[in-house]
Amino acid sequence: MRFLSYILISLGFLLPEPYQSDADKLVRIYKQIVEIEKKLEEKKEVDFKLVDELNRLGYPIYVIYKKYEYYREKDERSLKLYAKAKKVYEEYMLIKRKLFPKFIKMDAKRNGIPLCDIELKGEEKRKLVIRIKHPDSDEEIRKLLNSTQLMYADRIGFDVIDFRPCKE
């Protein structure tokens, strides 16, 4: 029976079980994410090819994650696959949060905005601490927000953005 199913799947008459294909896709994507993370950690500068490759992996993870989040049949397999997809998606977003300060520094340097340092705090790196010369100046903060990608910080999971004075 299994051999017959294999022949029908390979000829295109029968599709493989959706759970298994989604699980295989998640495993494949997770392995790619781990490889990209290792390569990004090795380099001090941002490699845009690796970032593009990382961004390309986000949508398939999100689709599987949302597919099983609202799945009608809450059986054990769909719940397990949802948990795996959620874990892979959180890992993906953590890598994106780790990269975010590098992009803010690049944008600030390109636009001539004085920026001392950017730190990530917390276990899941959800707090962004930005050190600028005058954190009480609304104009300086507004300029930083409008001329960098900082306004998109909430989209990748930052809960808190804290502006503090530079360390001397």
Side-chain angles (χ1 to χ4, degrees):
M1 185 66 185
R2 199 160 224 197
F3 180 70
L4 180 62
S5 297
Y6 177 74
I7 291 174
L8 292 174
I9 289 171
S10 63
L11 294 175
F13 294 114
L14 188 68
L15 293 175
E17 189 176 341
Y19 293 107
Q20 189 60 44
S21 66
D22 287 343
D24 293 342
K25 188 184 289 186
L26 279 175
V27 169
R28 190 171 54 250
I29 289 172
Y30 184 72
K31 287 179 182 177
Q32 289 176 330
I33 286 174
V34 170
E35 289 176 18
I36 291 171
E37 183 179 20
K38 286 179 184 176
K39 290 177 184 176
L40 286 171
E41 287 177 355
E42 290 173 1
K43 299 181 179 187
K44 291 184 180 180
E45 295 293 319
V46 177
D47 186 354
F48 291 104
K49 289 181 181 179
L50 289 175
V51 172
D52 288 341
E53 195 174 327
L54 182 67
N55 288 337
R56 182 181 54 82
L57 296 174
Y59 184 71
I61 300 168
Y62 181 77
V63 168
I64 294 172
Y65 172 63
K66 287 298 180 182
K67 176 180 176 181
Y68 290 101
E69 182 179 26
Y70 300 112
Y71 208 65
R72 293 181 193 271
E73 302 168 9
K74 295 287 185 181
D75 61 342
E76 188 175 330
R77 286 190 303 179
S78 63
L79 290 174
K80 283 183 180 179
L81 197 54
Y82 169 71
K84 285 181 184 178
K86 184 176 181 179
K87 183 179 177 184
V88 172
Y89 189 69
E90 285 297 320
E91 181 70 25
Y92 167 77
M93 294 305 283
L94 179 65
I95 296 169
K96 295 213 28 132
R97 285 192 295 270
K98 287 179 182 177
L99 279 174
F100 196 68
K102 293 180 182 179
F103 284 103
I104 298 299
K105 287 178 185 177
M106 285 182 353
D107 288 347
K109 185 177 179 181
R110 180 177 40 235
N111 294 323
I113 299 170
L115 184 67
C116 297
D117 193 26
I118 299 179
E119 303 171 21
L120 294 172
K121 301 250 180 171
E123 187 176 311
E124 295 180 354
K125 310 292 186 205
R126 291 189 179 270
K127 182 175 181 179
L128 190 64
V129 178
I130 301 174
R131 299 203 179 268
I132 56 177
K133 289 184 181 179
H134 306 289
D136 52 339
S137 168
D138 288 342
E139 184 178 322
E140 192 171 340
I141 292 174
R142 194 174 305 115
K143 185 177 180 185
L144 184 65
L145 281 171
N146 291 334
S147 60
T148 65
Q149 297 180 27
L150 194 56
M151 67 178 91
Y152 303 117
D154 63 324
R155 294 183 183 175
I156 60 172
F158 286 107
D159 295 333
V160 178
I161 301 174
D162 191 12
F163 293 96
R164 295 185 183 168
C166 296
K167 291 180 180 177
E168 306 254 344

